[in-house]
Amino acid sequence: MAERGPVKQVANNKKAFHDYFIEEKYECGIELFGTEVKSLRQGKCSIREAYVSIDHGEAFIEGMNISPYEHGNIMNKDPLRVRKLLLHKREIMKLAGQSALKGYTIMPLSVYFKNGRAKLEIGLARGKKLYDKREDRMKKDLSREAERDYKVNLKY
């Protein structure tokens, strides 16, 4: 199916890339109610403390905060409720097997709209040690410094 429109980013989890190595990425749908979708379209979502759990062959996201819709009155749901993720059964089984290994977890990476539907990108993640974080910061500083030197040389 051809892509009909641009992908609209709602929320991004930068902390996940800082604290974890992302091994694999998956795109999945989220089971939402109407007022939650309206709130997402306004960009009121946080996945910073969220994580994905697998229970009885189904995947759920816990800790994802979708703020209540302002005009939603009694139709608003709990902002931190557990939401079901829409994945294929074989993807869920693969994730369950890999997350059972020591040191692996399933992290939400970003929330976005694709073809009018709310999507969640999740990743199979392995925790970084302190020295890994230092190494990443050092590489980033070196590349930033090299880029700055390159820009200075272009001006002359």
Side-chain angles (χ1 to χ4, degrees):
M1 184 162 95
E3 195 157 324
R4 286 180 262 176
V7 175
K8 182 189 171 211
Q9 184 86 22
V10 177
N12 194 9
N13 192 356
K14 294 178 185 176
K15 188 178 175 187
F17 291 100
H18 182 262
D19 293 340
Y20 297 92
F21 292 111
I22 307 300
E23 306 284 327
E24 291 182 49
K25 294 180 182 179
Y26 295 91
E27 179 184 73
C28 60
I30 316 168
E31 189 176 75
L32 298 171
F33 288 98
T35 55
E36 291 176 323
V37 176
K38 290 177 181 182
S39 187
L40 269 182
R41 288 196 190 281
Q42 291 180 344
K44 297 184 177 180
C45 175
S46 173
I47 55 174
R48 189 165 300 168
E49 289 88 28
Y51 62 95
V52 176
S53 64
I54 296 177
D55 190 28
H56 300 298
E58 293 182 331
F60 298 95
I61 184 162
E62 300 179 30
M64 178 178 174
N65 187 353
I66 299 178
S67 299
Y69 184 58
E70 293 126 15
H71 309 293
N73 60 32
I74 62 168
M75 300 303 286
N76 282 330
K77 301 292 180 189
D78 178 30
L80 293 172
R81 75 178 183 86
V82 177
R83 295 168 180 90
K84 185 176 177 180
L85 297 181
L86 308 173
L87 283 162
H88 292 285
K89 193 61 121 181
R90 62 182 150 70
E91 290 176 330
I92 293 173
M93 291 304 167
K94 184 177 179 183
L95 282 169
Q98 290 178 332
S99 67
L101 295 174
K102 185 180 176 199
Y104 281 95
T105 186
I106 307 168
M107 297 292 299
L109 303 176
S110 65
V111 179
Y112 54 93
F113 280 96
K114 182 177 177 183
N115 295 334
R117 301 195 192 287
K119 299 289 184 178
L120 176 72
E121 185 177 43
I122 59 175
L124 185 68
R126 184 172 41 94
K128 285 184 181 179
K129 304 285 187 213
L130 183 61
Y131 57 84
D132 291 327
K133 293 179 190 177
R134 284 186 193 142
E135 189 176 303
D136 282 350
R137 189 176 301 133
M138 192 169 57
K139 285 180 186 176
K140 195 180 286 186
D141 289 343
L142 286 174
S143 67
R144 195 179 296 132
E145 216 172 280
E147 193 173 301
R148 191 175 330 133
D149 291 342
Y150 181 69
K151 283 183 181 177
V152 169
N153 289 340
L154 284 179
K155 289 182 181 178
Y156 295 112

